[in-house]
Amino acid sequence: MHRQLRTALATAAAAALTGGLLVVTASTATAVTPSGTRGDFNGDGYRDIAVTAPLATVNGKSGAGSVSILYGSKSGAGAAKIQTVSQDSAGVPGTAEKNDMFGGTVSAGDFNGDGYADLAVGANGEDVGSDVNGGSVTILWGASGGLSGGTNVKDPSAGSHDLFGLLVAAGDYNGDGTADLAIGSDQNTVDIYRGGFTKTGGTGGHYAVTAPVQKVPGPDFYNLTPGDVNHDGRTDLVVDGYETDSQEGWNANFYLPGSASGLTSTGAQKLPAGIISDIGDVNGDGYGDIVIGAHWDKDVPGSHKGGVVKVVYGTQAGPDGGQDSVNQDSPGVPGTGETADDFGYELSLGDVNGDGKDDLVVGAPGEDLNGIADAGMVTVLYGSTGGFASTGAQSFAQDSPGVPGDNEKGDGFGEEVYLADTNNDGKADLTVGIPHENNGDGYLVTFNSDGTKLAATGKGYGLTATKVSAAGTPLLGFGMAG
């Protein structure tokens, strides 16, 4: 399952470079999009959600991968239009090939400054000439009719690494008002492309930043999370990997600040462990707070049985405003911390109730419910001036009234979660990915905000609605951006 794959990556990633499956979930963090409507690919004023199926079969090629766009509308994501794009779509560079994993990671930003959001798509399994698993990144261009055509981002050092496009993260790292793109591969160096992208392959320049993580066999990074922590108008980046300052070499996150010259490792700060993180203003003080999900039961420092979410509060000086933690044994949080719940396996921040404070959705895909193993559950925690409130939390599972589907063994409801305002009412709505539904087919459930909380009634979308092939295990709902 996805959980097992990602846990394996966090402990022994080298196997992926010898032909094993390598899929790393991109953070659900909302990247800074300096121009245009954030995540609005067709410019109609509604935010759209890109959903990946990285192992989708395309024209008979297993594992080629595809990306489905649930376009926003008055009724929410996917209600009016769904579009699915692959490397066999018109105008998209390349060809769908076995195990390309197009859609392994995605990130949205207006890369060419035309007012439409574009989508960066990683295909880390792409063979580039004789370079097996060299990887590629394609920008799909936004337009009035939706995403149309694409352009490859040039790998600055092809052949010297693998898995280019393993991670992608859009943001304005130098604060010049144009969207930049950070790309990770199997190295401990982040490639940054400055804004000014063109459909002929041009960019505003390139530089690289080495992060303070261990170099290990296989990928050195497991996540990149963009957001403005210190409220200086420049995107900062949280990088996840292995620490270098202890003999054990535990997982850790590192804060890299943006600057006038771009992203820098100067002033880097070590943060708690946890593969998935997001950045938003939880307490309404104007600074970006970093939430980190540590889904492990034990061993890793700071772990809690069933999983835990750490909160690192932002200030003008960066992430040094103190820390909190929340788990299923915290007051007001639904459930109880149990072995392998995976609480914090996925996270997303957004303002569901419109009070100016970001709320948090936490996926616990390993939650056992009514004797059904790994059925999965999603928890919603609401932001307040003191952090996450101890009252008013919500929880959803597939046996909750109004939620499509049923609790089934191994579904892992909540393996992916994403908050974004898709009906343009000023309040965040929720999309839940269930990539292991129906033995790896995958499924999506959307919930709209009712103005004060998430409405209990969800709407489901599967392979038929997205026109993704049912062959193999496409894992629809594996990753999201918008």
Side-chain angles (χ1 to χ4, degrees), residues 50 81 167 179 352 374 397 401-402 406:
K81 178 182 177 181
L167 298 165
V352 173
D374 297 337
D406 298 294

Side-chain angles (χ1 to χ4, degrees), residues 32-328:
V32 174
T33 307
S35 58
T37 301
R38 188 168 57 198
D40 183 3
F41 302 118
N42 59 359
D44 64 356
Y46 295 100
R47 197 161 163 189
D48 312 312
I49 304 296
V51 179
T52 74
L55 297 187
T57 297
V58 178
N59 293 329
K61 307 296 184 182
S62 62
S66 65
V67 178
S68 298
I69 312 303
L70 276 60
Y71 284 92
S73 69
K74 186 177 181 179
S75 299
K81 178 182 177 181
I82 299 176
Q83 175 192 18
T84 293
V85 181
S86 73
Q87 286 182 296
D88 280 356
S89 298
V92 177
T95 302
E97 298 167 316
K98 184 177 180 179
N99 294 334
D100 277 351
M101 290 179 284
F102 181 80
T105 53
V106 286
S107 188
D110 182 7
F111 297 114
N112 60 355
D114 65 355
Y116 297 98
D118 312 303
L119 186 69
V121 182
N124 63 74
E126 178 98 39
D127 294 344
V128 182
S130 60
D131 186 7
V132 177
N133 292 333
S136 68
V137 174
T138 302
I139 294 179
L140 304 178
W141 300 109
S144 59
L147 291 178
S148 177
T151 303
N152 280 341
V153 178
K154 184 178 180 181
D155 186 340
S157 52
S160 65
H161 59 228
D162 283 318
L163 311 178
F164 184 69
L166 176 67
L167 298 165
V168 291
D172 184 6
Y173 298 105
N174 58 0
D176 67 353
T178 63
D180 310 317
L181 181 62
I183 300 177
S185 63
D186 65 349
Q187 305 294 304
N188 67 341
T189 299
V190 186
D191 287 298
I192 313 291
Y193 295 80
R194 295 187 178 90
F197 292 82
T198 69
K199 293 185 179 182
T200 57
T203 73
H206 166 269
Y207 62 99
V209 176
T210 300
V213 301
Q214 279 193 43
K215 288 188 65 64
V216 297
D220 297 329
F221 297 140
Y222 301 110
N223 201 15
L224 302 177
T225 302
D228 186 359
V229 174
N230 56 6
H231 195 58
D232 65 354
R234 304 179 183 110
T235 304
D236 311 309
L237 191 68
V238 174
V239 176
D240 181 72
Y242 294 115
E243 65 184 10
T244 60
D245 55 357
S246 79
Q247 185 175 355
E248 291 82 4
W250 298 114
N251 177 272
N253 287 280
F254 296 87
Y255 164 81
L256 306 182
S259 72
S261 58
L263 193 70
T264 176
S265 60
T266 302
Q269 298 183 44
K270 183 180 175 182
L271 305 171
I275 295 176
I276 293 300
S277 57
D278 201 354
I279 300 173
D281 187 2
V282 171
N283 55 9
D285 65 356
Y287 297 101
D289 307 310
I290 303 169
V291 293
I292 300 170
H295 67 281
W296 305 288
D297 294 302
K298 57 182 182 178
D299 297 331
V300 179
S303 298
H304 181 88
K305 185 178 181 180
V308 62
V309 174
K310 305 293 182 66
V311 186
V312 183
Y313 293 101
T315 70
Q316 187 176 11
D320 60 357
Q323 298 185 18
D324 280 335
S325 66
V326 61
N327 56 65
Q328 286 185 292

